[in-house]
Amino acid sequence: MCCRLPSRCWAGCLFCKRKAPARWAKSFRRSCVFWFGLLAVLGVINIIHEPSVLMAINPYYAVHLLIELGWHGFLIMGAVVLAITGAEACTPIWDNFGLKPIRYAWFSFVFPALLLNYFGQGALLIGHPDAIQNPFYLLAPTWALYPLLFLSTLATVIASQAVISGAFSVTRQAIQLGYCPRMNILHTSGEEMGQVYVPAVNWLLMVSVFRAGTQL
């Protein structure tokens, strides 16, 4: 049942993608602001308890760790790269919002919030090494576990919407450049030129999700 839940959430996103995109965007905007604000707050609370974690800003410790671990350090670097790959979701939707809004949102709000949260997780592990089992959810008090789990699920749904929109935008650009066969493209906004819906890609993603969900 738990393995099917992500697939059902994704399928629901695909099914509702065609309906009321403007209202979806407005609600997602508020949810994203609240989510990243919460990440920053959770991080700051734990940094206050272990402010020594801020010494990690010094690149000396990173270089020393890589030298000490040798080739095993590349595994750590892989985890670091994986932590920032979510930013790639912004790339295919530049035509929806433009480069400057995404750049301003990232450097002025999203990146500082994520950085504070990662520092907070490090601070938590310094004081409680046993929290390595799940440092993110253990940032919050016990009573806040389920609300945080709900918000995490909502954030995942919003992130999936960005990926879906990116697939539509990339497909439209590929068609315009002649790299993809022509498909039916629907413009879902009378104000934003970049907000499009490609039915063929939408249903292809849905089929792919169900095929992957059965192997989870």
Side-chain angles (χ1 to χ4, degrees), residues 12-25:
C13 292
L14 292 168
F15 184 77
C16 298
K17 189 63 181 174
R18 179 67 179 87
K19 302 179 181 296
R23 282 182 290 178
W24 279 89

Side-chain angles (χ1 to χ4, degrees), residues 191-215:
E191 300 176 355
E192 300 291 339
M193 183 180 65
Q195 291 187 5
V196 296
Y197 172 75
V198 185
V201 174
N202 190 73
W203 296 113
L204 179 61
L205 288 172
M206 180 172 288
V207 172
S208 302
V209 164
F210 278 111
R211 289 191 61 182
T214 58
Q215 301 177 15

Side-chain angles (χ1 to χ4, degrees), residues 87-103 106 162 165-166 169-170 172-173 192 194:
E88 295 177 358
C90 296
T91 305
I93 57 175
W94 278 350
D95 61 338
N96 288 8
F97 304 102
L99 178 58
K100 286 186 178 180
I102 291 179
R103 181 183 293 167
W106 173 256
S165 298
S169 297
V170 168
R172 188 190 67 163
Q173 293 167 15
E192 300 291 339

Side-chain angles (χ1 to χ4, degrees), residues 21-62:
R23 282 182 290 178
W24 279 89
K26 290 180 180 180
S27 61
F28 287 166
R29 190 183 310 145
R30 300 186 187 99
S31 299
C32 283
V33 171
F34 181 79
W35 170 248
F36 286 110
L38 178 63
L39 292 183
V41 170
L42 291 175
V44 169
I45 291 174
N46 286 271
I47 291 173
I48 292 174
H49 291 110
E50 289 288 346
S52 61
V53 72
L54 296 177
M55 294 179 63
I57 296 176
N58 190 340
Y60 164 80
Y61 296 103

Side-chain angles (χ1 to χ4, degrees), residues 2 52 74 86 98 110-111 127 138 140 150 158 171 181:
C2 292
S52 61
F74 284 101
V110 176
F111 178 69
L138 293 177
F150 171 78
I158 295 174
T171 301

